[in-house]
Amino acid sequence: MLLGMLLLAVPVGLLIGTVGVGGVLLPPALVHLGGFGVPAAAGTSSWAFLFTGVVGTLAYARHGTIPWPLAGRLALGAAPAAVAGALVNGLVPPLVVWLVLGSITLGAGAHRLRRGSGGDRTALPTATAVVTGAVVGFGSALTGTGGPVLLVPVLSLLGVAPLAAVAAGQLIQLPLAAFAVLGYGTTGSVHYGLGTLLGVVAAAAVVAGARFARRLPGTRLRQVSAGLLLGVGVFLFTLPFLPS
C-alpha cells in the first residue's frame, strides 16, 4: 500500500507542476489505498502539499513566471478560509463537495477548449482576487486537494493565462496548506511521517512538470490543460461512487 501511494505521488507532482490539478488524486488514494478516514486523508495531503508548494514556487519564480501581485492577493483570501475549510471537514457531505469541484473543473476545461477563449490576463481586481482566494482556500482545505486543483479552473474561467494560473497556484499552496494543517492538526488528523514521504516524492516530480510547462507554447499548454481539466472533472464526478 505504501509503495502504491509513493508511486502515485509521482504523477501527482508532475500534474501539479504542469497544469496544477494533480492534488486531486492524493486524498482518494489515502482513503482507498491507505484506509484513512476523510479528515486524516485531507490533513495528511495538506501537509504533503507544503513540500510541492515550496518546490513549485521556487521552480516558477526562478524563471520569473509567477504573477506576484495576483498570487499575493489570492493568498490573502485563501489563508484564513483554509482554517475554516479544515474545521468544517466532515460536516459537508463529500458528494456535494466533489460534484461542485467537478462542475467547475469540467466547465473550465470546456471553456479553455473553445477557440480564442484561453485568456491572457495576469492580474485581477483586488476584490475579485481576494474573494477567489477565499473560495479556493475553503474548498481546497475542505477536500485536502491543494490550492491549484480548484484555483487553476477558476482562474481559467476568469480569463487568466494558463502559465500564470499554474504559477500562481504553486505559491498559493504555501499559506493554504499551512493553515489547513493548522486546522487539521487541532484534531490530530495529520500523519506527518507519511505526508512528508509523499510530499518529497511529489515535490521532485513538480520540478519536471514545471520544466515541461515552460517549454510548451501557449496554445499547446492551453490544449493540454484543457484536456486534463476535463479528465479531472470526470474523475471528480466518479469519485464519490468508488468503493471505499
Side-chain angles (χ1 to χ4, degrees):
M1 293 300 179
L2 176 60
L3 179 60
M5 287 186 287
L6 289 176
L7 290 175
L8 181 65
V10 175
V12 166
L14 286 172
L15 289 172
I16 289 175
T18 305
V19 293
V21 297
V24 73
L25 302 175
L26 194 53
L30 291 173
V31 172
H32 297 288
L33 295 179
F36 282 52
V38 173
T44 304
S45 296
S46 296
W47 174 256
F49 294 137
L50 276 172
F51 294 85
T52 60
V54 169
V55 172
T57 298
L58 291 174
Y60 277 91
R62 179 183 177 188
H63 295 272
T65 51
I66 294 182
W68 292 104
L70 172 61
R73 291 165 186 153
L74 291 167
L76 183 64
V83 178
L87 292 176
V88 303
N89 180 280
L91 299 180
V92 179
L95 176 62
V96 174
V97 175
W98 294 120
L99 292 182
V100 170
L101 292 177
S103 298
I104 294 172
T105 306
L106 279 174
H111 175 75
R112 188 161 282 183
L113 277 179
R114 290 173 52 198
R115 186 182 300 273
S117 65
D120 57 1
R121 304 173 68 179
T122 57
L124 293 172
T126 298
T128 301
V130 172
V131 171
T132 299
V135 171
V136 168
F138 182 84
S140 299
L142 180 68
T143 57
T145 52
V149 172
L150 184 54
L151 179 65
V152 171
V154 171
L155 291 184
S156 174
L157 292 172
L158 293 173
V160 175
L163 190 61
V166 175
Q170 306 304 316
L171 178 63
I172 203 176
Q173 287 180 90
L174 297 175
L176 196 158
F179 278 81
V181 167
L182 180 64
Y184 284 112
T186 61
T187 58
S189 298
V190 182
H191 293 255
Y192 294 99
L194 177 59
T196 298
L197 287 175
L198 294 171
V200 169
V201 173
V206 165
V207 177
R211 184 179 297 115
F212 179 69
R214 290 193 307 270
R215 291 179 177 178
L216 282 178
T219 300
R220 181 57 58 85
L221 179 60
R222 185 173 293 116
Q223 293 169 345
V224 169
S225 62
L228 288 171
L229 286 170
L230 290 172
V232 169
V234 172
F235 173 72
L236 287 167
F237 271 97
T238 61
L239 183 59
F241 307 104
L242 295 176
S244 299

